[in-house]
Amino acid sequence: ACTYLKDKLEKDLKKLKENNASTNFDVKKVKVYPNTNIVHISGMLNRYVGSKQINSNMETYEVRFKTFRGRLMLHRIAKI
């Protein structure tokens, strides 16, 4: 799972640099489900080319964690 995420982030970074593009995620709401190790994060995903904003979308991501040998580990991030 970590290798997939790393590869995806590196590919996205390369594409952003080639297009002089950037993104930011402005968190609006966080909902924690402690018994399941799941967090839902909602906010505005803003995209820019140069200094011009090209779009803005409300998005929600599910972040899953797992416990391994007493450590809390990031397991998965998915758009929902």
Side-chain angles (χ1 to χ4, degrees):
C2 288
T3 302
Y4 167 77
L5 181 59
K6 181 182 175 205
D7 292 345
K8 181 175 179 1
L9 290 173
E10 286 176 353
K11 181 180 175 186
D12 289 349
L13 178 60
K14 182 179 178 185
K15 187 174 179 181
L16 289 171
K17 284 183 177 181
E18 288 172 355
N19 295 313
N20 192 27
S22 62
T23 63
N24 77 315
F25 186 72
D26 185 17
V27 176
K28 300 294 184 188
K29 181 180 175 185
V30 176
K31 177 70 177 167
V32 178
Y33 301 92
N35 294 332
T36 59
N37 292 335
I38 295 174
V39 178
H40 287 172
I41 303 172
S42 299
M44 296 302 294
L45 180 62
N46 304 298
R47 292 180 178 92
Y48 301 86
V49 172
S51 60
K52 181 180 177 186
Q53 184 174 2
I54 57 171
N55 69 7
S56 181
N57 297 323
M58 182 66 143
E59 298 196 356
T60 300
Y61 293 89
E62 181 175 272
V63 181
R64 290 182 176 252
F65 298 91
K66 64 180 177 179
T67 305
F68 180 72
R69 295 183 181 170
R71 294 178 141 174
L72 187 63
M73 312 282 282
L74 178 62
H75 178 64
R76 186 179 101 170
I77 301 173
K79 183 177 169 183
I80 56 173

